[in-house]
Amino acid sequence: MSLKVHPSLIFICTLLLLKTSFCTIDLNTAELQYLADHLTPEECRRLIAAAHFKSYQEPNALDQAERKVSKDVPCIALLHHWNSQQGEGKGETHELLEHRLRQMEKNELADWLGRTVFHELAVDLNRSLEQGLHEFATE
């Protein structure tokens, strides 16, 4: 008797595993690079500072936090660091950065991020379902 596992269950388990491991669960290097390329150094430092706060509202101490973000570190390095550190971006979703971008009135960039991440998730889910259906049909 063989055990059959639905492909969407595998996909969901993979997302949960990623949530507890390396970085945000739905952002990749290319998306972080795109953000870095479309933010000024000042905007990037503000985004990183804001992303450290857990509140929904824009933090009152944001100016103070922004001053603590190094001006000598490139934006992509700041984003990668935030993305991979426990207590920062690790285990979070793109929604946190998307929300902070909207608070900064970077709506086009926030829209791009949301569309891109959901498109990639849909492609991955479709691929998993198609693979599972193909495997099921060949059994």
Side-chain angles (χ1 to χ4, degrees), residues 6-64:
H6 196 275
S8 61
L9 180 61
I10 294 170
F11 180 74
I12 291 168
C13 289
T14 302
L15 285 178
L16 291 174
L17 181 62
L18 287 174
K19 182 174 175 64
T20 60
S21 57
F22 306 111
C23 54
T24 52
I25 64 172
D26 59 2
L27 285 173
N28 62 39
T29 300
E31 292 158 351
L32 294 175
Q33 185 65 58
Y34 187 90
L35 292 176
D37 291 344
H38 290 82
L39 292 168
T40 66
E42 295 78 20
E43 291 169 336
C44 187
R45 287 193 302 276
R46 188 160 191 83
L47 176 63
I48 293 299
H52 283 85
F53 290 90
K54 300 298 179 194
S55 66
Y56 184 78
Q57 300 299 322
E58 188 170 326
N60 292 330
L62 183 55
D63 289 335
Q64 261 182 326

Side-chain angles (χ1 to χ4, degrees), residues 109-121:
L109 196 53
D111 290 344
W112 172 87
L113 183 61
R115 272 192 320 270
T116 302
V117 168
F118 281 118
H119 174 77
E120 289 175 7
L121 289 173

Side-chain angles (χ1 to χ4, degrees), residues 57-105:
Q57 300 299 322
E58 188 170 326
N60 292 330
L62 183 55
D63 289 335
Q64 261 182 326
E66 188 179 349
R67 285 192 292 274
K68 293 180 181 179
V69 178
S70 175
K71 292 181 178 181
D72 299 328
V73 179
C75 185
I76 189 63
L78 292 171
L79 288 167
H80 277 294
H81 176 82
W82 173 85
N83 189 49
S84 63
Q85 296 301 304
Q86 190 66 41
E88 296 184 27
K90 184 177 179 180
E92 298 290 339
T93 68
H94 77 281
E95 194 281 331
L96 193 149
L97 289 183
E98 183 179 350
H99 177 67
R100 295 302 185 198
L101 286 166
R102 290 190 193 290
Q103 288 177 327
M104 295 169 56
E105 298 181 7

